[in-house]
Structures are given as C-alpha cells and as structure tokens.
Amino acid sequence: MKQVTQYARAVMVIGIWLCAVWQSSAQTVTNGSFELPALPSNSFSYDPTGATWLFTANSGIINAPGGGFFGPTAPDGNQYAFLQSATSPGAFSESINFTLAGTYQLSYLVAGRSDDGFGATGNLSYEILLDSAVIATDTTDTAQPFTTQLFQFSTTAGNHTLSFEVAPGSTGDNTAFFDRVAIQVPEPATGLLFLAFAPFVCAIRRRNQ
C-alpha cells in the first residue's frame, strides 16, 4: 500500500510539474492595452513611437475619449489603439515570438466610433493577419461599445508578426478602437501529457517493484 501511495503521489507531482512547464511558455503580447507611450488626458497620437507596436498611416493611440474621436471610456487602463480608413488606411503590428507550434486563441476588445455629425462613423471593416495570412475578419458598427472578440489560429514556433489592418476596399472616414490584445497558449492534449511523463512513471514503478 505504501508503494502504491508513493507511486500515485509521484505521478501527481510529475503531472503538475509538466503542466507548469507547459504554462510557463505562455505567449506575451507586449503593451497589449496600449498604455505606452503615455499620452496627455483626452488626446490622441497618430503613428506614435515607443509603443512596442508599429503604427502606420491612419492608426495610433487614444487617451480616452481622445478629443475629436469621441471615444468611450477605456476598458483597461486609460488608452487604446485605433484604426481609421480615411485617406490612408491604417495598420498596427507587433512581432511575437511563439515558443510552441500549435493552435492559439487571440482575444481583444473592439469598439466603433460614434457618429461625429460630419460623416465620420464607426462602420469599419478590418483584418487580422499573422505574417501575410489573414486569420480573422470583422466589422464594427457606429457607436458599438467595447465587445470581446475571440479567434483561433495555428502557427509554427518562432517569430511572427501580428497585424491589425483596415480591410482592402474600405472607403469613407470610419474608425474602430482596440484594447486588451492577448494570446492564450494552446492547451496540451491529455494523451500528449501522458506520453510526456510515461517514462518517468515506468521508472518509478520499476524502482518500487
């Protein structure tokens, strides 16, 4: 009975350790709430530097409500990113190192700009790309409150570029707001975990026989 108890305890410890190792390789989206660089209250900045994200054309960061953008309250911190379709469609991107190959879940909050009464609205179609591959598409509505979006995608280990871009063909002056961008690591399958620590279990059993 004592050997059985020791065996069960060892299996439990090894299982917990392997799960911890797996989770320790969690993906990190740097500055996912766009709090850097810190902007003055109620202001905005096109293509800001020092944000870890690369902003191009009509995109940037808003410190809510962002003056003429009439933005909603920031759901996380004081700031969020924006994409705008007017004149030169915007985009923002960040290089991310994926420590594991597999299926991931991208989550973020998105909202639509309110109608300013002069033709600017929040009806924006946008795409999310990993490198050059589109992994998600969505469209915001005018005055849409911040809502959660979840998309799954698969990738290989290594450095990849995550991009949010105004969809091709978009016209007019439309803006969407983005906050709390995050990526969840793929959960290990039960079978894979068993195969991972099976050699340890066999060694313990042999030692206790």
Side-chain angles (χ1 to χ4, degrees):
M1 180 62 69
K2 183 178 180 180
Q3 288 182 344
V4 172
T5 301
Q6 291 177 339
Y7 167 71
R9 185 181 296 113
V11 170
M12 182 185 304
V13 170
I14 293 170
I16 293 173
W17 174 76
L18 283 169
C19 287
V21 169
W22 196 286
Q23 291 300 324
S24 68
S25 58
Q27 293 309 131
T28 300
V29 176
T30 305
N31 196 23
S33 290
F34 306 98
E35 297 302 307
L36 297 174
L39 303 180
S41 178
N42 191 28
S43 68
F44 61 89
S45 176
Y46 284 95
D47 311 337
T49 58
T52 69
W53 295 85
L54 174 64
F55 292 87
T56 58
N58 281 333
S59 67
I61 291 177
I62 289 173
N63 186 303
F69 276 101
F70 308 107
T73 301
D76 189 10
N78 299 309
Q79 303 185 165
Y80 43 77
F82 69 89
L83 282 181
Q84 188 176 17
S85 58
T87 314
S88 298
F92 58 89
S93 61
E94 180 175 300
S95 179
I96 299 174
N97 181 264
F98 289 83
T99 55
L100 299 170
T103 300
Y104 290 77
Q105 180 172 267
L106 170 69
S107 65
Y108 60 95
L109 297 173
V110 63
R113 179 182 183 174
S114 295
D115 191 333
D116 71 347
F118 298 95
T121 68
N123 302 319
L124 184 75
S125 294
Y126 65 92
E127 299 178 335
I128 303 173
L129 293 79
L130 191 68
D131 298 327
S132 60
V134 176
I135 60 174
T137 60
D138 184 42
T139 300
T140 55
D141 296 320
T142 298
Q144 172 187 314
F146 273 105
T147 55
T148 301
Q149 289 284 16
L150 301 170
F151 293 102
Q152 286 193 338
F153 64 96
S154 297
T155 187
T156 58
N159 291 319
H160 297 281
T161 300
L162 178 70
S163 304
F164 291 74
E165 303 180 3
V166 173
S170 297
T171 59
D173 186 357
N174 299 285
T175 305
F177 308 128
F178 300 84
D179 204 358
R180 200 184 298 163
V181 179
I183 294 175
Q184 284 72 44
V185 295
E187 293 293 337
T190 303
L192 291 177
L193 277 180
F194 175 79
L195 290 175
F197 67 77
F200 297 97
V201 174
C202 292
I204 293 171
R205 292 190 65 182
R206 285 195 298 269
R207 188 172 60 188
N208 289 333
Q209 287 177 348

